[in-house]
Amino acid sequence: MNHWINMNRRPVMDDFPQLLTIEEAARRLRVHPSTVDRERRRGHLNCTTIGSRVFFTREQLIDYINNQSRTQCRNTDSLSTPTTGW
């Protein structure tokens, strides 16, 4: 008997990371799926592959966002400020 295996516990879906498709990742990043695929092919966005299928984890998307360069927003007079209470 293997003592390192807990025979009374079955794996549950919470034990596995949620895998997102290119389309699902694009929705979460609010970009077009081709942008996600391009960033993946350039090596800027890590992915997980199973066979020929490409997936992304939440952590991979967060790492991608954190690695993006941040630019300061410019305050220009030519742009109007929204009046929706922001």
Side-chain angles (χ1 to χ4, degrees):
M1 181 172 155
N2 292 329
H3 296 286
W4 58 273
I5 298 176
N6 183 348
M7 300 302 284
N8 296 323
R9 184 178 178 278
R10 292 185 177 180
V12 294
M13 289 306 293
D14 291 341
D15 293 338
F16 299 99
Q18 182 180 9
L19 299 176
L20 305 171
T21 64
I22 289 176
E23 291 78 13
E24 292 167 331
R27 277 196 297 274
R28 282 171 176 75
L29 294 173
R30 297 182 181 179
V31 298
H32 195 273
S34 63
T35 302
V36 171
D37 196 42
R38 182 176 56 250
E39 291 294 283
R40 175 191 64 84
R41 286 186 276 113
R42 289 180 177 169
H44 298 161
L45 176 56
N46 292 326
C47 67
T48 301
T49 57
I50 300 176
S52 62
R53 299 197 57 197
V54 176
F55 298 98
F56 302 91
T57 63
R58 179 180 182 272
E59 290 76 19
Q60 289 167 328
L61 297 181
I62 290 170
D63 287 344
Y64 172 75
I65 292 168
N66 288 335
N67 289 328
Q68 296 303 300
S69 63
R70 293 182 173 92
T71 58
Q72 291 183 342
C73 295
R74 296 182 295 168
N75 184 5
T76 60
D77 293 331
S78 62
L79 298 175
S80 63
T81 305
T83 59
T84 58
W86 292 22

